[in-house]
């Protein structure tokens, strides 16, 4: 153990209380990798569709089937400009007002289109035409699904948890999955073919990652 300690690389120490929020964000997105991408579709109370990617996203449990994604609060914009008022992103505001959303899995084929939906645009802009992706009706919720996505989950809101109220604070959005949609050729006995799904993830900065290099480990009994 002493030899292992002496040969280890020195560790840097970061106290979040002594760092800028952007610095902590960079550390977190560099360490928590790879992160699956949730392309979240919502609809405003006025019926305007919204589409945006989130890489703080995961499953929570299967009974009931529960997922979460985490938008962050942004600096408040000038209310008089009528452009991005307040600190909530359009996705978060829509979810809180309508209590519905759809998570669309991002494959490599639609990664560039999903990335295009991250552009800051006014709330009245529908990102489906902006990205070239195709909306298709959902069964249990109002927001449309993304036709090009290999799998989608229709969700109803369970809870919204604010971890803080400053720019950069995370907001946990918990939803129950009401419907799963998966391309027929990808499913056999409820098992999804990872090669056919071809999901992508996020690393730090502008780097994305494919999920084609895989290995198996058998769980110990």
């Amino acid at each position: 153990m002493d030899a292992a300690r002496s040969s280890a690389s020195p560790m840097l120490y970061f106290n979040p209380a002594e760092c800028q929020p952007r610095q902590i964000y960079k550390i977190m997105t560099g360490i928590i990798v790879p992160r699956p991408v949730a392309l979240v579709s919502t609809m405003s109370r006025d019926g305007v569709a919204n589409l945006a990617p989130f890489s703080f996203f995961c499953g929570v449990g299967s009974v009931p089937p529960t997922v979460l994604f985490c938008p962050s609060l942004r600096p408040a914009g000038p209310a008089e400009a009528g452009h991005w008022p307040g600190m909530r992103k359009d996705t978060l505001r829509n979810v809180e007002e309508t209590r519905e959303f759809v998570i669309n899995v991002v494959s490599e084929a639609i990664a560039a289109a999903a990335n295009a939906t991250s552009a800051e645009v006014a709330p009245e802009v529908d990102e489906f035409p902006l990205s070239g992706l195709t909306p298709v009706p959902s069964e249990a919720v109002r927001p449309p699904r993304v036709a090009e996505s290999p799998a989608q989950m229709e969700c109803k809101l369970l809870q919204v948890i604010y971890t803080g109220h400053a720019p950069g604070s995370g907001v946990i959005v918990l939803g129950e999955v009401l419907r799963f949609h998966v391309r027929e050729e990808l499913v056999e006995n409820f098992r999804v073919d990872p090669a056919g799904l071809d999901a992508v993830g996020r690393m730090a900065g502008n780097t994305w990652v494919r999920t084609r290099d895989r290995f198996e480990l058998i769980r110990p009994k």
Side-chain angles (χ1 to χ4, degrees):
M1 292 299 294
D2 291 337
R5 286 198 187 100
S6 62
S7 63
S9 298
M11 304 289 286
L12 291 178
Y13 169 87
F14 301 97
N15 182 346
E18 299 172 353
C19 300
Q20 297 297 317
R22 186 65 184 175
Q23 294 173 322
I24 296 303
Y25 174 81
K26 290 167 69 174
I27 288 290
M28 291 184 69
T29 56
I31 293 174
I32 306 169
V33 291
R35 303 185 304 281
V37 182
L39 184 56
V40 181
S41 49
T42 59
M43 186 171 286
S44 72
R45 288 185 298 187
D46 298 327
V48 178
N50 179 271
L51 198 57
F54 297 89
S55 63
F56 284 168
F57 152 63
C58 68
V60 178
S62 56
V63 184
T66 307
V67 293
L68 69 78
F69 74 95
C70 301
S72 59
L73 298 181
R74 60 180 171 223
E80 64 273 16
H83 198 51
W84 319 316
M87 299 175 69
R88 294 182 300 168
K89 295 183 178 181
D90 297 340
T91 298
L92 177 57
R93 186 182 61 255
N94 290 348
V95 168
E96 289 189 311
E97 292 179 351
T98 68
R99 306 188 65 80
E100 296 178 337
F101 60 95
V102 177
I103 289 180
N104 304 275
V105 172
V106 179
S107 63
E108 186 180 5
I110 63 170
N115 185 56
T117 68
S118 64
E120 287 280 3
V121 296
E124 62 269 17
V125 175
D126 182 342
E127 284 88 355
F128 275 94
L130 183 69
S131 64
L133 296 170
T134 308
V136 292
S138 297
E139 291 186 0
V141 298
R142 289 183 60 207
R145 296 176 288 124
V146 174
E148 292 83 358
S149 170
Q152 310 107 25
M153 293 174 280
E154 300 181 25
C155 305
K156 72 173 182 179
L157 178 65
L158 291 176
Q159 189 176 3
V160 175
I161 303 170
Y162 283 74
T163 64
H165 294 87
S169 294
V171 183
I172 302 169
V173 178
L174 283 160
E176 179 182 346
V177 181
L178 303 180
R179 299 287 190 280
F180 291 93
H181 301 266
V182 187
R183 288 180 184 165
E184 183 177 3
E185 68 272 17
L186 301 183
V187 184
E188 182 176 353
N189 192 28
F190 291 92
R191 293 186 180 274
V192 178
D193 173 23
L197 192 71
D198 198 21
V200 295
R202 287 291 307 276
M203 303 293 281
N206 294 321
T207 303
W208 292 53
V209 63
R210 300 179 178 90
T211 54
R212 296 174 187 166
D213 185 6
R214 297 179 293 272
F215 62 94
E216 293 189 9
L217 292 174
I218 305 300
R219 286 187 180 185
K221 295 182 179 180

